Amino acid sequence: KFIGKTPLALILRMIEEIKQNYSINEKRIFITGFSAGGTYALYLGLTYPDTFAATAPFASSLKWLIKEAGVRPDKVKKQIPVCFVHGTNDITVEMKESYFGQEELLKYGFKAVVKEIGGLDHQYPPYVTWTIIKWFDRQYTP
């Protein structure tokens, strides 16, 4: 169904193959990533809201997506929940990026929250994964 070897095509093809080969709940496909990967996870969630139930970008920038990738939150066809995760000591991607993202998405009807990770700079320690997983679990309603 998806042709090509771009990261986007590969991700979407992987999801389709998993859906074809395994019994999964398609209403519980979530996406997260860190830094540039977090920005890409946010992009995928906003661009493919029928594929992803929620996204939790960690140290990401919606501002960059709007400016450089042409993402328009007002044009997203379905508002999925978004949890911006950010370390309070991050100077690589500043915390204000997450608050900008939250404010921007709230304007257009999204459920958007910010989860601050106190004292954390631009790194992804394993314990942050549980913060994200717990938030994803709360997004599912049968």
Side-chain angles (χ1 to χ4, degrees):
K1 185 174 179 182
F2 300 100
I3 300 172
K5 293 185 179 183
T6 66
L8 173 60
L10 292 171
I11 290 167
L12 295 175
R13 186 168 64 227
M14 176 188 66
I15 291 168
E16 286 302 314
E17 287 178 11
I18 290 169
K19 288 176 5 183
Q20 290 172 6
N21 294 310
Y22 300 94
S23 176
I24 66 165
N25 183 339
E26 293 184 30
K27 294 179 181 178
R28 294 197 70 166
I29 299 174
F30 305 116
I31 188 162
T32 189
F34 173 67
S35 196
T39 300
Y40 198 57
L42 181 58
Y43 170 80
L44 289 172
L46 297 177
T47 308
Y48 294 90
D50 291 329
T51 300
F52 300 102
T55 182
F58 183 9
S60 66
S61 176
L62 176 61
K63 192 180 298 177
W64 187 91
L65 286 176
I66 291 169
K67 183 178 176 189
E68 302 295 331
V71 170
R72 301 265 319 268
D74 60 322
K75 301 293 183 194
V76 173
K77 62 182 176 176
K78 178 179 165 190
Q79 291 80 20
I80 65 169
V82 178
C83 178
F84 292 94
V85 181
H86 220 113
T88 58
N89 292 350
D90 192 340
I91 59 170
T92 304
V93 179
E94 295 179 3
M95 173 76 77
K96 66 182 179 183
E97 292 291 333
S98 285
Y99 282 106
F100 169 84
Q102 178 193 33
E103 290 171 20
E104 191 68 16
L105 294 181
L106 287 173
K107 284 193 248 180
Y108 301 106
F110 285 81
K111 176 183 174 188
V113 299
V114 174
K115 295 230 178 257
E116 294 185 7
I117 308 296
L120 189 65
D121 58 14
H122 197 72
Q123 58 180 305
Y124 194 134
Y127 68 86
V128 174
T129 300
W130 291 112
T131 298
I132 294 169
I133 289 170
K134 286 186 230 174
W135 184 82
F136 280 151
D137 279 344
R138 289 191 303 274
Q139 303 319 300
Y140 176 69
T141 52

